Amino acid sequence: MASMRYDLYYWPEIQGRGEFIRLALEVAGASYLDVARGTKKGQGVEAMFKLMRGESNIAADQTRLPFAPPFLKAGEELIAQTAHILAFLGPALKLAPREAKAARFTQQLQLTLSDLVVEAHDTHHPIGSGLYYEDQKAAAKKRSKIFIAERIPKFLDYFEQVLARNPANRPGRPVHLVGRALTYADLSLFQVIEGLRYAFPKSMRRREHAWPNVIALRDQVAAHPRIAAYLASPRRIAFNEMGIFRRYPELDR
Ligand SMILES: N[C@@H](CCC(=O)N[C@@H](CS)C(=O)NCC(=O)O)C(=O)O
């Protein structure tokens, strides 16, 4: 499994949900191709569409189609849903605890982060993903106000608690959400903090002091040699106003 070559399918111009998978593959030093960003024959975004339409011959089982990216091809298997992909990759990339209850808790945390990601997206698209932001700006302002005042604190207070209660965490040592080693949930919490900082810089600056363990974890992940190298590389797409976390100053009140 460790020497497996993975094909990641995700929108080529945004970090989005694909980034949670990229971070896991990068930190593990896994061999992978970001297919929709490729320029060779059989690559590019059309390869992703073909797969979704069931017109590709690269996945053995084209009766099990994914609904939406990201999806991952591992051998003959095609797996979709971000948290589900990470649960699959966790053991192979040594990013999940071996013990069953701890592994399930890791996945539970990932699903909670998925909920937060949906809410972050809905701050700028509260009415419909297919509508322009400009056409739902008034609702976006209302939604963002509540997201900043109530939802960010509720989620981050929760993750702060999880970190504070992990018995393996010791003062002055690296912190983790589960057990004593890095998991995909740690990487995803890092990514969520980066996204929130991008989208709501003023609000995050004002409130971050309430989540010292969360921020310590964020700093620790950013300093991981493979993550630091990845973040500095062209493989890391910059945040932008097409992704999940978007910077619209009028929403950061
Ligand atoms: N629950 C899925 C959501 C997947 C999803 O919403 N993907 C987005 C891009 S981040 C997409 O392309 N959605 C198309 C659609 O929902 O129509 C996951 O976590 O992977």
Side-chain angles (χ1 to χ4, degrees), residues 7-101:
D7 286 339
L8 169 66
Y9 289 81
Y10 193 67
W11 300 110
E13 288 166 349
I14 60 171
Q15 293 182 16
R17 288 181 174 86
E19 201 62 14
F20 298 101
I21 315 297
R22 293 189 185 110
L23 286 169
L25 293 166
E26 289 281 345
V27 83
S31 161
Y32 77 101
L33 177 67
D34 209 336
V35 180
R37 294 174 74 190
T39 51
K40 294 197 182 131
K41 196 169 179 288
Q43 302 176 3
V45 79
E46 186 50 35
M48 184 169 94
F49 289 137
K50 262 180 111 172
L51 233 171
M52 289 173 77
R53 291 195 300 258
E55 291 168 8
S56 168
N57 56 5
I58 60 159
D61 192 344
Q62 279 288 287
T63 63
R64 294 176 176 165
L65 300 181
F67 175 70
F71 40 92
L72 185 81
K73 186 168 171 287
E76 292 299 304
E77 197 171 355
L78 191 63
I79 306 156
Q81 291 286 350
T82 310
H84 189 51
I85 297 169
L86 289 169
F88 168 81
L89 283 176
L93 302 183
K94 298 197 171 24
L95 288 172
R98 267 201 285 241
E99 196 260 316
K101 283 184 201 164

Side-chain angles (χ1 to χ4, degrees), residues 130-150:
L131 299 176
Y132 289 113
Y133 164 64
E134 284 69 23
D135 295 334
Q136 46 193 318
K137 209 163 163 176
K141 282 186 183 170
K142 279 191 186 166
R143 183 79 188 238
S144 298
K145 194 174 167 193
I146 294 166
F147 182 69
I148 290 166
E150 295 171 16

